[in-house]
Amino acid sequence: GVAEQLTPVLLDGLTEESLQLVSKLKDSSSSCAVDVSTVWWEAAGSKELCVVTACESSVSLWKPLASNGWEKIYTWQLREVPVIQIVPLPDTCNLVCIALGDLEIGEIRLLLYSSENDSFKQSLVRTGNIKAVLGLKDRRLVSSSRTVCEQQVEVVSLSETGRSRDGRTLMPPEETVLAFAEVEGLQDALVGTTAVNGVVVWNLRTGQLLKKMHVGYSYPASVCHQAYSDSGLLFVVLSHPHAKESESCGNPAFRVVAFNPKTARSTGVIFSSLPAGHTGRYLEGDVKDACAAAVLTSGAVAVWDLLLGRCTALLPPGPQGDWALVRWATTTACLLAGQRNGTVCLYQY
Amino acid sequence: CSESDLGPISLNWFEELSAEAPS
């Protein structure tokens, strides 16, 4: 369980100097890694940025060592329902949130350490047919769930000990909400993307559904990752797992779309595609600030500057196989890239 | 993008839509 020493590498082509391997960890007990994330963890008076790795039946917390290696602190066992994803909670400490289920999310749990009885614990936050979940600032969690007749969109506040306090219901649209994103520059706003390629905007404070806008038919199944409010416009970062390649913009993994929420009109602003000569479609990815990273069908990881629409780094598949996961740490200075065998590489960006 | 593409832009869109939307 102890990580390997760092091995700096230089990457080929456009990637030189932009991504540098800092350290690597390998969960030898992991059969099939499903997600990776980071969390601030405070123990014995020292607060450190730790790595969280998840496989289907367990979630492990890793602490950095002085030697650039990693030590596993604890593993939570989750044997009844498979883990689907880690749900990062921004600005929180000593709290890991996970989504579990079979084909779709059936429950959300918190993993934590209780100083009251000096033990690691887990607690159930909610159950249901959950379609989307996002950790919000100020230790809140928003999720959409669906029954045959109705959809519920709920924001839950979490206490320091993990127990959920009072929840607020947001007004649901008719269409199923499949992803959420917070809006930078507008504290009380939340956006979501729906199953029919719509973008919806809520007021988190009042629960009102403010606007429904359409992304357009050229990019089906768009998923929102991040939004920014500026100069009276709402800029939404969307990924396009099913986008068709076009001559004008190649094969866009991400697109920044400007919406005028007053009129619901929109226009594509910046396309983030692979540079000429590289192939691969978007499989999964992560966006933080103006940086986007994605795993591609080619098994590579690509990184873009969303403001320039330019691919700034490309990580080819490793000697042990394709990349499966890519996440930003709490800042875009650190990128985590994972393989299905449980290997996680930390890169400085 | 120009205003003609997107229609009239309001810097206070969030407050204005919150005042108009059903609660």
Side-chain angles (χ1 to χ4, degrees):
Chain A
V2 177
E4 295 173 21
Q5 291 293 310
L6 81 163
T7 318
V9 291
L10 279 180
L11 304 153
D12 68 358
L14 79 166
T15 66
E16 264 183 76
E17 295 166 16
S18 51
L19 278 178
Q20 199 166 10
L21 184 66
V22 177
S23 65
K24 196 189 231 184
L25 65 85
K26 169 83 174 78
D27 192 348
S28 50
S29 63
S30 168
S31 51
C32 185
V34 295
D35 207 352
V36 61
S37 188
T38 52
V39 64
W40 287 102
W41 203 269
E42 189 170 10
S46 121
K47 190 173 169 181
E48 292 171 308
L49 188 63
C50 294
V51 168
V52 184
T53 54
C55 65
E56 281 201 348
S57 59
S58 65
V59 175
S60 297
L61 180 67
W62 301 75
K63 170 190 164 173
L65 297 172
S67 60
N68 273 319
W70 295 85
E71 180 191 14
K72 196 189 286 185
I73 303 174
Y74 188 73
T75 297
W76 289 269
Q77 299 295 337
L78 299 131
R79 300 211 185 278
E80 286 171 24
V81 187
V83 178
I84 292 181
Q85 68 169 109
I86 300 167
V87 184
L89 293 168
D91 311 326
T92 59
C93 191
N94 294 26
L95 214 50
V96 175
C97 182
I98 53 167
L100 307 98
D102 290 303
L103 285 175
E104 57 184 31
I105 301 169
E107 60 181 60
I108 297 168
R109 283 179 181 270
L110 286 174
L111 309 176
L112 59 146
Y113 172 77
S114 166
S115 53
E116 279 175 28
N117 42 14
D118 188 26
S119 63
F120 288 88
K121 291 167 62 174
Q122 49 178 292
S123 72
L124 189 64
V125 176
R126 71 168 306 187
T127 56
N129 295 317
I130 298 161
K131 303 291 180 184
V133 57
L134 179 73
L136 304 175
K137 292 188 186 94
D138 304 324
R139 216 183 291 121
R140 292 170 302 165
L141 201 65
V142 62
S143 59
S144 64
S145 60
R146 178 115 235 174
T147 61
V148 176
C149 334
E150 61 168 16
Q151 177 173 221
Q152 196 180 36
V153 183
E154 191 185 42
V155 181
V156 173
S157 292
L158 307 166
S159 74
E160 283 178 11
T161 52
R163 284 178 292 243
S164 57
R165 291 197 297 236
D166 51 346
R168 163 180 280 289
T169 304
L170 305 184
M171 198 175 286
E174 293 97 44
E175 307 85 18
T176 305
V177 178
L178 298 179
F180 295 102
E182 279 197 284
V183 182
E184 282 186 25
L186 211 48
Q187 198 184 344
D188 291 328
L190 178 74
V191 303
T193 37
T194 72
V196 292
N197 234 26
V199 168
V200 289
V201 187
W202 288 276
N203 182 329
L204 272 171
R205 195 167 35 81
T206 62
Q208 290 167 293
L209 178 62
L210 300 182
K211 203 76 180 178
K212 291 198 283 184
M213 304 177 284
H214 201 257
V215 179
Y217 294 104
S218 309
Y219 299 92
S222 301
V223 177
C224 62
H225 290 262
Q226 180 78 270
Y228 321 87
S229 175
D230 191 30
S231 307
L233 295 173
L234 184 64
F235 296 87
V236 183
V237 180
L238 300 166
S239 64
H240 302 294
H242 303 293
K244 287 191 181 119
E245 195 158 351
S246 75
E247 278 182 21
S248 58
C249 57
N251 197 351
F254 294 96
R255 202 166 56 121
V256 180
V257 179
F259 290 90
N260 179 351
K262 289 289 283 183
T263 62
R265 291 192 211 164
S266 65
T267 185
V269 181
I270 296 170
F271 294 83
S272 292
S273 300
L274 280 173
H278 292 273
T279 55
R281 291 161 64 94
Y282 174 96
L283 270 181
E284 69 110 60
D286 193 25
V287 176
K288 186 143 282 181
D289 302 327
C291 296
V295 173
L296 308 168
T297 48
S298 60
V301 162
V303 178
W304 289 270
D305 180 324
L306 290 173
L307 297 179
L308 300 172
R310 197 168 66 84
C311 181
T312 53
L314 198 62
L315 205 55
Q320 293 165 334
D322 292 352
W323 297 109
L325 304 159
V326 65
R327 302 284 179 266
W328 295 105
T330 52
T331 69
T332 55
C334 180
L335 187 77
L336 296 98
Q339 292 174 332
R340 286 279 171 236
N341 67 3
T343 301
V344 176
C345 293
L346 283 87
Y347 289 89
Q348 191 179 353
Y349 175 60
Chain B
C1 44
S2 69
E3 187 156 313
S4 60
D5 295 331
L6 296 168
I9 289 166
S10 168
L11 294 178
N12 299 317
W13 65 268
F14 188 73
E15 292 74 18
E16 289 169 14
L17 291 179
S18 295
E20 293 163 13
S23 51

